[in-house]
Amino acid sequence: MRKALVIATKDLRQRLRDRSLIIFGLLVPFALTFIFDMLLGPVTSGPPVIARVGLADLDGSLVSIGLRTALGAAADAGVVTWEEVPDADTARARVEAGELSAAIVVPAGFGSAVTQGTAATLQVVGNRDQGIATQVAESVAAAYASRLRAATLAAKALAASGAAAPSALVMAQVAAAPEPLTLTATPTSDRQLDMTTYYAAGMAVFFVFFIVQLGVTGLLDEERDGTLARLLAAPMARRNVLFGKVMSSVAIGVASMAVLAVGSTIVMGADWGDPLGAAVLIVAVVVAAAGVLMLVAGLASSPEAAGNVQAVVAITLGSIGGVFFRLPAQEGLFGRLQGLAPHFWFMRGMGDLAGGGGVASLGEEVLALAVFAVVLGGLGWFLLERRLNR
Amino acid sequence: MARPLLEVSHLSRSFGELRAVRDVSFTIHEGETYGLLGPNGAGKTTTISMISGVLRRDAGEVTLGGTPVSATDATGRAGIGLVPQDLAIYPDLTARENLSFFGRLYGMSGQVLKRRVDEVLEIVGLADRAKSLARTYSGGMKRRLNIAVGLLHRPKLLILDEPTVGVDPQSRNAILESVEALAGEGVAVLYTTHYMEEAERLCDRVGIIDEGELKAEGTRRELVDLVGGEDVVRLEASGELDGAMDALRAIPGVSRVDVQAGMLQVVTTGAARLLPAIVQSVAGTGATVARVEVSEPDLESVFLHLTGKALRD
């Protein structure tokens, strides 16, 4: 154990003199986090989009007046601002001019069509450059139309039972009424990181595979450079050589991620959640990375071959693990593929921490990462030890 | 007679179909310098890799001072210092850092380690560059550092695997002088080389190895006696050499004829007496003789006698 520590210390000294550690372990992930956050952060986590909606009410019936109430409720919720426009052409012109995000046109005869139960149409005009705002306007109109449909069905049912049909005013009030009950659920898959934290964590775990690779392939470097013979001739058990390499790999991996976590928190305001939980997750994913990369190194014929394959593995696992873009929860084959990436479990664990969880909430993720470490790392250890015992 | 230090018996190792080392046995005594002389691919490095515990062996035993040495038993390896043929040093560490690292692997620490590092740096003449990264050293300096690492823990046996390959003449001479100095201090040395003159200069006894087999061993005198006092006549000739070789073999007293890179090599007794007949025989076949050399028996002759081949790079 003491000899392994001597080897690990030597490796760390070498790595600290190696610029690739600074570049891949700190500078590149930090710079990419900053760039992604600058480019994509405002789109996905900036202030909420407020749609400027025009209402061209060509009907003027009690039913169409209900739409004003619905728009007013949406405005109270901070989702839209709205104003009256005199006609459909004006609405279309102002939308195209960008003065309005979208406009809802209530055609003449809309109210009577609704009360008589015949076909009625609401028209939404949207600006092609303001897709999200247009969708908001469509949602308001669709929700109102849906409730009108329900009220119409209820009126027909009452008529069929011999009761008096409700008036247009009642139907409009029903359609425009606020939801009596709102359920708010926060399933695990919806516990999302803010974009800064997302990219900080994603880049940190992506590049840690390259950092750990430097340590793991160090054994193959020693073999190529002739120093392995000297290590094997020294009076110590051979597993000390392997153990020293793993120790130094894990140490530089953990240090790299820890510096990125602290740096992104201080400089960019990332939130890594519970510090103890984040620390456990970082150690778990670094050990898992060491396991994956040891297997690749064990199968490789040279450090160059190992480096190439390890890079492909890191990029592939990082991509399916969702370190570059948020991937929706997947079922089927891709869902199972995601589970094969340590990155996926790390990002999921970060989501748990973002949802307010601590170490206790990371059981599944840490277990999955431990499986990578034990199974793949065990195979890699076996192959590398066999190589040492030629 | 000094006591046996290293005892190697019936060492064998194969790589697939290739039998790299076959039943090699020899002994090195305390303070003795023993040379393993053979061409590239003869099995020298495989043999010393098994002796130093770097490589597992298929069969055989190695003991150092009575303690078994193997790839699986760390204890016996402590008494061996290995200087591999390749530069086994870390270029991004300084000389002092390289030495301190390997010293710790051999259980040294603290002031003992520091003092010994200083001593070894003085021995190999690198004290003034101790804090420079090894990558900034010349080839000769790297070679000296490579040797210094092997010396660091005061091994009972120092194994040097072709330490002068690719070294400039000045550094080569410095390395040879270092090895002679070690022998003077009583360190046993196992020295592999394919340079006959190095083996003759340094080694008390030489083992001649080829195709994985130890063909013969002994002092220089004992080995030369194996040739039976035969001289080697070398003729630089051109033309039909096959006919010339046949003509030479017909001369009484010629025991072996070989051709290497346009040079006819004739092993014979009494070269001075037979020289006119040798030259006339070659000329008589139509071949042209440009130059003639006569050499007394040396390890090259012995190798030629034992294997039918010349030592060469």
Side-chain angles (χ1 to χ4, degrees):
Chain A
M1 181 66 182
R2 190 168 163 272
K3 303 283 175 71
L5 204 57
V6 170
I7 292 170
T9 306
K10 184 270 297 177
D11 283 357
L12 288 174
R13 190 191 296 269
Q14 286 180 290
R15 295 294 160 231
L16 287 174
R17 288 180 184 164
D18 183 356
R19 286 179 191 160
S20 56
L21 175 65
I22 305 296
I23 292 170
F24 287 109
L26 296 176
L27 294 182
V28 174
F30 206 82
L32 284 179
T33 300
F34 185 74
I35 291 167
F36 281 140
D37 190 44
M38 288 283 287
L39 291 176
L40 303 175
V43 174
T44 49
S45 65
V49 175
I50 299 174
R52 286 165 294 143
V53 180
L55 176 64
D57 185 0
L58 310 180
D59 181 43
S61 68
L62 290 173
V63 173
S64 64
I65 287 169
L67 186 55
R68 289 177 171 76
T69 309
L71 282 168
D76 291 343
V79 179
V80 300
T81 60
W82 73 280
E83 60 183 280
E84 298 266 7
V85 289
D87 52 51
D89 289 341
T90 306
R92 192 168 286 109
R94 291 190 62 189
V95 168
E96 286 179 2
E99 295 171 16
L100 295 172
S101 309
I104 301 172
V105 179
V106 184
F110 178 78
S112 59
V114 168
T115 52
Q116 290 166 18
T118 57
T121 304
L122 277 177
Q123 187 181 10
V124 178
V125 180
N127 185 305
R128 72 183 68 173
D129 296 327
Q130 299 186 42
I132 295 174
T134 301
Q135 284 180 2
V136 171
E138 280 179 351
S139 298
V140 172
Y144 184 70
S146 174
R147 289 185 186 178
L148 271 180
R149 198 175 303 117
T152 304
L153 287 172
K156 283 182 177 175
L158 284 171
S161 65
S167 66
L169 176 61
V170 170
M171 290 175 70
Q173 285 173 338
V174 168
E179 291 282 357
L181 177 64
T182 302
L183 286 175
T184 302
T186 310
T188 305
S189 58
D190 288 344
R191 291 175 193 163
Q192 291 199 332
L193 301 167
D194 66 83
M195 290 310 291
T196 303
T197 309
Y198 175 80
Y199 283 117
M203 290 302 101
V205 73
F206 177 69
F207 280 98
V208 85
F209 272 67
F210 291 89
I211 292 303
V212 172
Q213 171 193 322
L214 294 175
V216 172
T217 53
L219 186 72
L220 305 186
D221 290 331
E222 302 248 19
E223 187 179 40
R224 178 195 60 197
D225 298 340
T227 44
L228 183 62
R230 208 155 229 163
L231 297 181
L232 297 181
M236 62 179 177
R238 297 188 166 194
R239 73 179 76 89
N240 281 302
V241 180
L242 262 181
F243 199 44
K245 296 293 173 193
V246 173
M247 276 202 288
S248 64
S249 303
V250 170
I252 57 174
V254 169
S256 162
M257 288 194 78
V259 170
L260 283 169
V262 173
S264 62
T265 300
I266 294 171
V267 177
M268 290 185 259
D271 179 9
W272 287 66
D274 173 52
L276 184 59
V280 168
L281 203 54
I282 284 172
V283 171
V285 79
V286 169
V287 174
V292 172
L293 298 172
M294 277 177 70
L295 178 58
V296 176
L299 293 169
S301 58
S302 68
E304 291 75 20
N308 291 338
V309 175
Q310 285 168 340
V312 171
V313 167
I315 292 168
T316 305
L317 293 180
S319 300
I320 65 174
V323 301
F324 300 113
F325 302 102
R326 287 188 198 281
L327 297 173
Q330 296 285 338
E331 300 294 332
L333 179 62
F334 192 74
R336 286 195 289 275
L337 277 179
Q338 280 186 314
L340 296 177
H343 308 67
F344 167 77
W345 296 101
F346 174 76
M347 296 304 283
R348 209 172 97 150
M350 285 298 296
D352 288 343
L353 295 178
V359 177
S361 69
L362 299 173
E364 197 178 348
E365 288 82 4
V366 170
L367 181 65
L369 292 169
V371 168
F372 282 102
V374 171
V375 176
L376 301 186
L379 274 172
W381 182 286
F382 170 76
L383 292 170
L384 290 171
E385 196 167 43
R386 198 174 64 169
R387 194 174 185 134
L388 291 181
N389 287 323
R390 285 181 307 173
Chain B
M1 183 76 176
R3 290 177 301 173
L5 176 67
L6 177 76
E7 293 182 270
V8 177
S9 54
H10 308 295
L11 215 50
S12 296
R13 178 65 201 253
S14 296
F15 298 101
E17 295 296 308
L18 175 68
R19 295 181 65 197
V21 174
R22 310 175 195 190
D23 199 30
V24 167
S25 300
F26 61 90
T27 300
I28 301 178
H29 297 91
E30 289 178 347
E32 183 181 32
T33 299
Y34 186 97
L36 266 184
L37 179 68
N40 290 333
K44 302 187 298 293
T45 299
T46 304
T47 300
I48 63 161
S49 294
M50 287 189 283
I51 291 171
S52 58
V54 171
L55 205 59
R56 297 170 76 93
R57 52 186 179 248
D58 294 338
E61 293 296 327
V62 178
T63 60
L64 185 77
T67 306
V69 180
S70 72
T72 51
D73 184 357
T75 313
R77 300 203 296 268
I80 296 176
L82 176 66
V83 181
Q85 182 177 348
D86 296 325
L87 286 170
I89 54 173
Y90 299 101
D92 43 5
L93 298 182
T94 67
R96 181 174 292 284
E97 288 167 345
N98 267 288
L99 291 166
S100 297
F101 166 66
F102 286 110
R104 288 191 184 94
L105 291 187
Y106 280 84
M108 304 169 79
S109 62
Q111 284 302 310
V112 172
L113 175 61
K114 186 178 179 304
R115 275 197 297 273
R116 182 59 183 160
V117 167
D118 289 337
E119 283 174 18
V120 170
L121 285 168
E122 285 292 341
I123 291 171
V124 297
L126 291 173
D128 57 337
R129 294 290 303 277
K131 292 180 181 174
S132 301
L133 295 180
R135 75 157 69 96
T136 65
Y137 288 2
S138 67
M141 291 166 75
K142 287 176 183 170
R143 283 277 167 200
R144 281 185 274 155
L145 177 58
N146 199 34
I147 292 173
V149 175
L151 288 174
L152 186 71
H153 60 287
R154 300 182 194 277
K156 295 175 186 168
L157 172 72
L158 182 67
I159 299 176
L160 296 124
D161 189 11
E162 307 220 34
T164 59
V165 169
V167 172
D168 63 87
Q170 191 181 355
S171 296
R172 183 183 181 206
N173 198 48
I175 289 170
L176 296 180
E177 284 175 0
S178 299
V179 176
E180 286 171 328
L182 286 169
E185 292 171 12
V187 177
V189 176
L190 171 54
Y191 190 97
T192 79
T193 184
H194 61 269
Y195 295 128
M196 177 268 299
E197 62 273 23
E198 288 185 4
E200 289 198 330
R201 172 174 167 180
L202 296 174
C203 301
D204 301 311
R205 288 190 304 137
V206 174
I208 290 183
I209 187 169
D210 187 48
E211 295 181 347
E213 287 185 80
L214 196 65
K215 302 289 186 184
E217 66 165 340
T219 63
R220 182 188 179 284
R221 186 69 259 162
E222 288 168 344
L223 290 170
V224 166
D225 285 348
L226 289 175
V227 185
E230 291 178 319
D231 301 324
V232 177
V233 180
R234 293 186 178 85
L235 301 99
E236 186 179 330
S238 58
E240 177 50 55
L241 297 187
D242 286 343
M245 288 171 70
D246 290 339
L248 288 167
R249 287 189 185 108
I251 299 172
V254 170
S255 60
R256 183 187 290 270
V257 181
D258 194 16
V259 64
Q260 297 280 342
M263 293 283 282
L264 285 165
Q265 300 191 91
V266 183
V267 180
T268 177
T269 51
R273 180 175 53 82
L274 289 178
L275 193 57
I278 289 172
V279 174
Q280 281 173 9
S281 293
V282 175
T285 62
T288 305
V289 177
R291 186 162 58 95
V292 178
E293 291 174 10
V294 179
S295 55
E296 292 180 350
D298 56 14
L299 292 179
E300 178 84 39
S301 314
V302 175
F303 192 84
L304 182 65
H305 175 80
L306 291 171
T307 67
K309 296 185 292 190
L311 278 167
R312 58 189 178 277
D313 287 343

